[in-house]
Amino acid sequence: MGELIFGLFFMAGWAAALARLGYAALVLWRSRGEQWVRGQGQPFARLLLPAPAYLRFDRTLAVAVLLADLWLVSAVVVSGSEGVFTEEWLGYPGMMDPAGQGYQAGAVDLLRTAALWSASAAILGRCWTTAAVQLSVLPLSALWIASFDTYYN
């Protein structure tokens, strides 16, 4: 039953993340004629505080990235539900697969690496809200997945 629920979240998350990413591209396209950098103030303040059109894009991108992060976490959980995680968490885990021995560590490493690269790209693009989402959701998800009891611990 738990596998079915996570499978549904997986599919719905994929569709929602793609739809929201398309909407972020539409917001970017609509605001192409507007200013992306503030015209008044100190240069450092103009760099840190983008124009309202850019802030709208940043918020829209942050929601799209949040949905993609939730999709990635659900993909890790669904992929590891057969033979990796214990029966206390997801019911009967299936047969014990020795190839899944490094799955949990690999998944945690994947989430931390994704957080590092995506937050770095967001910071370079001055998308502060998106960077904050990436630095909060993915590392906390990595800690959550690292806390699972497996047959191999």
Side-chain angles (χ1 to χ4, degrees):
M1 182 64 169
E3 199 173 315
L4 174 67
I5 291 172
F6 275 113
L8 290 175
F9 279 132
F10 176 74
M11 297 305 266
W14 175 254
L18 282 179
R20 198 59 186 197
L21 191 59
Y23 182 70
L26 182 67
V27 167
L28 184 63
W29 177 258
R30 283 184 185 164
S31 60
R32 68 186 181 282
E34 298 179 33
Q35 281 192 346
W36 289 86
V37 180
R38 293 186 187 269
Q40 293 97 8
Q42 298 292 332
F44 186 68
R46 287 188 300 186
L47 178 69
L48 289 180
L49 300 171
Y54 197 73
L55 288 175
R56 279 193 305 274
F57 169 69
D58 185 21
R59 285 191 303 264
T60 306
L61 185 64
V63 171
V65 165
L66 174 68
L67 291 172
D69 291 347
L70 294 177
W71 173 80
L72 179 63
V73 171
S74 68
V76 166
V77 171
V78 167
S79 298
S81 66
E82 284 297 319
V84 176
F85 301 126
T86 63
E87 57 192 67
E88 290 90 19
W89 186 72
L90 265 182
Y92 179 68
M95 55 187 275
M96 213 166 99
D97 182 14
Q101 212 163 8
Y103 178 79
Q104 186 177 20
V108 169
D109 188 43
L110 168 78
L111 292 174
R112 288 181 180 161
T113 304
L116 175 72
W117 283 102
S118 59
S120 298
I123 288 171
L124 285 176
R126 295 184 316 128
C127 295
W128 310 123
T129 310
T130 304
V133 166
Q134 289 301 91
L135 289 175
S136 60
V137 172
L138 287 177
L140 290 176
S141 299
L143 283 173
W144 179 60
I145 289 176
S147 71
F148 290 167
D149 288 333
T150 63
Y151 288 115
Y152 307 106
N153 282 348

